[in-house]
Amino acid sequence: FMFENIKLIAFDLYGTILDIKTDWECNLTYIIYSQFLADGYNIKIDPDKFRETFLNISADERKKYFSTNIEVNYGNIFRKTFDKFEVKINTEDFNEIVYKYRVASRQYISIFKDASDVLKNLRKNNYILKLITNAQKLFSDREISMFNLKNYFDEIIISSVVGVKKPGKDIFYLALKDTNIKPEECADDKNNEY
């Protein structure tokens, strides 16, 4: 498939390439996560209290940025949550501890049936492919690796890293930076205009 005058195609990660369902409200998520913290790091936090604290901090952070194109950074939310319980986590363990929350909350993850074939075909036809996703690097890096997606893309732009999110245009303009590509030479999986 060829797109006339299109040089760059941007894809979203979740809901386009990866099918995922997580449940951040479910009590079982916090029971599993609290058990992981206790077993792996000797961190003992009541699951119900952790759930309440985490969800409240998360809601407050999301409210702060609700009507903006600024992305919430869940790494900061986890830090604030652990601070409330006076738990200090060293830098080396932090990413693993946060990712285990994702694992505890994840009900399923899979790659959509034709995603790999579509990406391979576009690559073969010399399109520049960029992954532009509203996501948390703490989670998405491992999920990108889990399905060997990195090699399909010329660049991966994650909102929690760059600090801006879709549908704002700033994140799309980052995909054009350092290229000679004009906005009208771009397409994405949602038909957004650049």
Side-chain angles (χ1 to χ4, degrees), residues 13-27:
L13 180 60
Y14 302 110
T16 301
I17 297 171
L18 295 183
D19 186 18
I20 187 169
K21 183 174 183 192
T22 60
D23 191 342
W24 291 33
E25 299 288 333
C26 177
N27 289 334

Side-chain angles (χ1 to χ4, degrees), residues 1 11 17 111 114-124 129 149 152-153:
F1 28 73
F11 287 88
I17 297 171
I111 190 165
D114 295 325
S116 292
D117 290 339
V118 168
L119 294 170
K120 282 179 199 168
N121 201 341
L122 291 170
R123 268 311 223 191
K124 193 167 50 178
L129 302 181
L149 298 174
Y152 291 119
F153 297 100

